[in-house]
Amino acid sequence: MFHDNKANRLRKEILARVARAFFADQPADTINRIPISMRLKGARNASRCCIYKDRAVLKYRTMAALGYSVENETDELKPISAYFENALRRTEAADPVLTVIDVACSACVTTQYSATNACKGCLARSCETVCPKKAIEFREGKAWLNPEKCVNCGLCMKACPYHAIIHIPIPCEEACPVGAITKDPETGRELIDRTKCTYCGKCLRECPFAAITDLSQMIDVLKALQSRHAVAMIAPSVAGQLPGTLPQLITALKTIGFSDVVEVAAGADQTALHESAEWLERTTGGEAFMTTSCCPAYIETVEKHLPELKPYVSDTPTPMAYTAANVRKKDPEAITVFIGPCIAKRVEARKNPDVDFVLTFEELGAMLVGAEVDVLECEAASFSAEPSREGRGFAASRGVTKAVEAALPDCRRLMKPVQVDGIDRKSLLRMKQWSSGTCPGNFVEVMSCEGGCIAGPGTIGNPRIALKELARLCDESPTMTDRRTDEPVSI
Ligand code: SF4
Ligand code: SF4
C-alpha cells in the first residue's frame, strides 16, 4: 500500500534537514535548531498538546536520523549536535535497526472496542447479554464498555445490529505479522521484541504518529562519500522512486560523491542462474520444494518463526551479496553502499563483510535534497553494459520466479511455482504446514512486502507507478537468453 501521508512526509523532512545541516557552514548550530525551526514560537500547527512536546519529539526524530535510538539518551540536556559529532566519529553504523520514540508513542489506547453514538439503547441489548465479562454498562441509555472488565474479545461488536460498537486497532500491533510489538502496560509505549522481530518494517509504515523509525545510516554514508571511494549499489526497485531516468540518477550519485555506481540487477542475474541450478539439483535429488532466499525479512522469519522451513531455503547468495562481492573483487578497498527499499537488508549487511552500509530510497532522496542535486537537471550517464530484464524484474512479485524460469528454459514444464506475495499472519500459517508435505508447488518465491520490493518500507514512490516504470525499464533491457553470462556487469 502507498503511504504518502503527513507522518511519512515528516520523516522525510527530518532526514532532508539533517542532510542539509551536514553540508551547512555551521552544521552543529543548524542541527541544534531543527526542532525549533520546525515548530516556531506561536505556531499553531503542533500536533500535540503544545509546541514544546512537539519539539521534544522532533529532537528524538533527529537523533534517529543521525542513527541514535531514544534508548541511547542518557542526558536530556545533551544537544543534538553532540550526537551529530559522535556520528561523524563512529566507525560502525547504528544498531539496533528500529527504535520507538516513546514520547510520540502514547496516543493509542489499549482498550480496543468502544461504543459510539450510533447506539440506540435498544430493547434486545444483545451486546450486554453476549459479553462474558459483564463489561457493558448503560449510561444515559447508551452502551458503555468498562475498560476495567473488557478483555477485547469483540463479541459485543459482532452482536450489535446497528454496528454501534467499533474496533479501534493499535495500528503497529495489527500490522506486525509475528507479534513482535506490544504495549508496555505501565508506560503505554510500544516495545519491539528483537527475538521475534523480522525487520519487515510494516509497523514503521503503519504507525500514524511515525513513532517507530529506523536508525539511519545517512550520516555514515555522507562521511564515506568524502573519501571519494564509495560505490553505490542500486537495487532494481529504484524504478519510479526518484524523478528523472536511471542514467540521470547515476550522474546525480556521482555528483554527490560516489566514485562508481553499479546495478544490483546484475547480481540478480547471477542469483537467478545459480538458484535455478540449485533448484534443479535439489528437486531431481528428491526434495519436495525449494524457497527463494533473497528477501532478508523472510530469512529472519524462517530463523525466528518457521524453523521447519530452514532445510527448504535456497543457499544461493542474494543479488546484494553477489554485487558487493563483484565490487570488492574489482577494488578491495571500496566502501560498498547498498541503496534500496529495505530495512531488513541492514540485518543481512551486518552478516556480510562485503557490504558496508545500507541506505533506503527515502534516505537517498534526503541526501540529494541536502546536497541540492536535482536528478532532472543531471546529464544522462552512458551504460557500458546492462543487466537482463529478468534481473531487473526481481523488484516486483513474481520477478524471481520469471528469472529462474528464464534461466531454465528446457525445464520450465517441471516447475510448479508458488508465490507468497507479502508475509502476513495467514501466509505464515500456510507456510508452517508446508514441511509436512502440503506445499502446492516445488519452487516458492517469498517476498515479505506485498507487491515485492517496489513496495518496500524504504520506498518513496507509489508502487503502482513504480511497477509501470519497472516494466518500461525491463522492456529496454536484453533478455537473460541474450546475455547469458555469469560475469559481473558494471555500468
Ligand atoms: S519490523 Fe515487522 S516484525 Fe518487527 S515489530 Fe515491526 S512489524 Fe513486527
Ligand atoms: S520484499 Fe524486498 S523490500 Fe520487502 S522486506 Fe523483502 S527484500 Fe526487503
Side-chain angles (χ1 to χ4, degrees):
M1 201 198 294
F2 184 41
H3 284 73
D4 180 24
N5 58 38
K6 287 188 176 175
N8 288 326
R9 284 186 202 169
L10 178 64
R11 221 181 33 234
K12 279 188 251 172
E13 185 180 347
I14 297 270
L15 283 166
R17 281 177 180 260
V18 168
R20 265 195 217 111
F22 180 89
F23 293 106
D25 292 336
Q26 294 181 334
D29 186 51
T30 314
I31 212 139
N32 278 335
R33 286 179 187 277
I34 289 177
I36 295 171
S37 56
M38 289 179 74
R39 291 293 179 269
L40 293 172
K41 207 169 175 183
R44 290 186 176 275
N45 61 346
S47 52
R48 296 167 202 284
C49 56
C50 64
I51 59 165
Y52 305 106
K53 181 162 183 185
D54 237 12
R55 285 177 184 170
V57 175
L58 290 167
K59 175 189 170 185
Y60 293 126
R61 293 193 194 290
T62 311
M63 272 174 67
L66 291 168
Y68 289 98
S69 61
V70 179
E71 294 85 359
N72 289 122
E73 190 190 52
T74 50
D75 174 5
E76 275 190 69
L77 291 178
K78 194 165 157 179
I80 310 173
S81 55
Y83 293 98
F84 175 65
E85 277 148 20
N86 286 345
L88 292 179
R89 278 196 298 270
R90 74 180 165 219
T91 48
E92 278 201 11
D95 184 51
V97 172
L98 293 168
T99 184
V100 181
I101 300 171
D102 53 355
V103 275
C105 171
S106 52
C108 300
V109 287
T110 41
T111 303
Q112 294 189 25
Y113 290 89
S114 182
T116 65
N117 272 342
C119 171
K120 307 274 181 223
C122 65
L123 178 65
R125 299 200 170 174
S126 312
C127 57
E128 189 183 10
T129 51
V130 82
C131 177
K133 298 288 172 188
K134 306 211 176 318
I136 307 268
E137 295 170 20
F138 279 82
R139 294 185 167 184
E140 293 175 15
K142 290 197 187 285
W144 177 77
L145 275 73
N146 185 339
E148 303 286 315
K149 295 183 182 170
C150 175
V151 290
N152 293 318
C153 67
L155 288 174
C156 56
M157 186 181 79
K158 287 186 199 135
C160 175
Y162 293 106
H163 305 290
I165 297 175
I166 54 164
H167 177 229
I168 306 167
I170 298 179
C172 60
E173 289 184 18
E174 185 125 308
C176 181
V178 293
I181 184 158
T182 47
K183 212 174 244 316
D184 178 340
E186 301 269 296
T187 60
R189 175 196 166 200
E190 292 292 330
L191 299 173
I192 296 176
D193 181 346
R194 289 174 77 184
T195 62
K196 291 184 182 169
C197 178
T198 61
Y199 305 103
C200 66
K202 293 180 202 284
C203 56
L204 175 149
R205 293 297 287 254
E206 296 301 331
C207 174
F209 283 92
I212 303 165
T213 187
D214 54 324
L215 296 190
S216 173
Q217 300 186 354
M218 190 176 70
I219 289 291
D220 309 78
V221 175
L222 283 166
K223 198 176 63 174
L225 291 182
Q226 293 176 331
S227 70
R228 307 295 300 179
H229 213 67
V231 177
M233 308 185 291
I234 332 174
S237 44
V238 67
Q241 294 303 317
L242 292 151
T245 61
L246 183 55
Q248 283 177 301
L249 179 63
I250 290 163
T251 305
L253 287 165
K254 291 189 174 171
T255 309
I256 61 172
F258 283 100
S259 59
D260 200 1
V261 183
V262 294
E263 272 191 85
V264 175
D269 280 342
Q270 286 176 278
T271 297
L273 288 176
H274 289 274
E275 200 154 87
S276 54
E278 185 190 354
W279 173 80
L280 197 57
E281 199 185 315
R282 281 181 178 233
T283 46
T284 50
E287 287 187 30
F289 67 97
M290 184 186 91
T291 81
T292 51
S293 59
C294 52
C295 172
Y298 165 59
I299 297 301
E300 289 291 308
T301 305
V302 171
E303 287 283 332
K304 294 170 179 168
H305 304 279
L306 297 170
E308 53 278 82
L309 279 195
K310 230 171 171 176
Y312 299 96
V313 178
S314 161
D315 296 322
T316 298
T318 65
M320 176 175 86
Y322 274 119
T323 310
N326 295 338
V327 172
R328 278 274 157 80
K329 205 162 137 194
K330 210 166 136 192
D331 178 0
E333 301 303 316
I335 300 169
T336 52
V337 183
F338 174 84
I339 305 174
C342 188
I343 288 165
K345 278 283 173 206
R346 292 200 168 126
V347 180
E348 184 191 329
R350 222 178 281 141
K351 299 177 195 158
N352 183 340
D354 284 337
V355 185
D356 293 310
F357 299 110
V358 171
L359 275 187
T360 61
F361 292 127
E362 193 173 64
E363 288 164 315
L364 174 63
M367 279 167 64
L368 291 167
V369 170
E372 296 182 0
V373 173
D374 183 348
V375 184
L376 285 172
E377 303 220 321
C378 290
E379 296 229 342
S382 61
F383 287 80
S384 58
E386 285 182 6
S388 76
R389 60 180 298 156
E390 289 84 3
R392 285 182 164 150
F394 262 57
S397 275
R398 257 195 69 72
V400 186
T401 307
K402 284 185 195 159
V404 168
E405 283 174 341
L408 285 175
D410 302 334
C411 306
R412 200 171 287 183
R413 66 195 161 75
L414 300 176
M415 266 183 92
K416 279 194 228 141
V418 175
Q419 269 86 39
V420 176
D421 184 15
I423 296 180
D424 54 21
R425 288 178 196 152
K426 255 195 200 158
S427 59
L428 262 180
L429 277 179
R430 208 155 39 100
M431 286 191 278
K432 243 189 184 329
Q433 318 297 325
W434 287 351
S435 57
S436 56
T438 55
C439 180
N442 56 14
F443 179 81
V444 185
E445 177 193 291
V446 191
M447 292 286 160
S448 170
C449 301
E450 194 184 337
C453 301
I454 48 165
T459 53
I460 40 181
N462 182 328
R464 256 181 286 165
I465 296 172
L467 192 59
K468 278 190 195 152
E469 278 301 304
L470 182 70
R472 200 187 47 72
L473 200 61
C474 288
D475 284 346
E476 289 170 3
S477 315
T479 66
M480 194 177 273
T481 340
D482 292 339
R483 58 161 308 275
R484 213 185 149 109
T485 168
D486 208 1
E487 281 303 299
V489 179
S490 63
I491 299 168

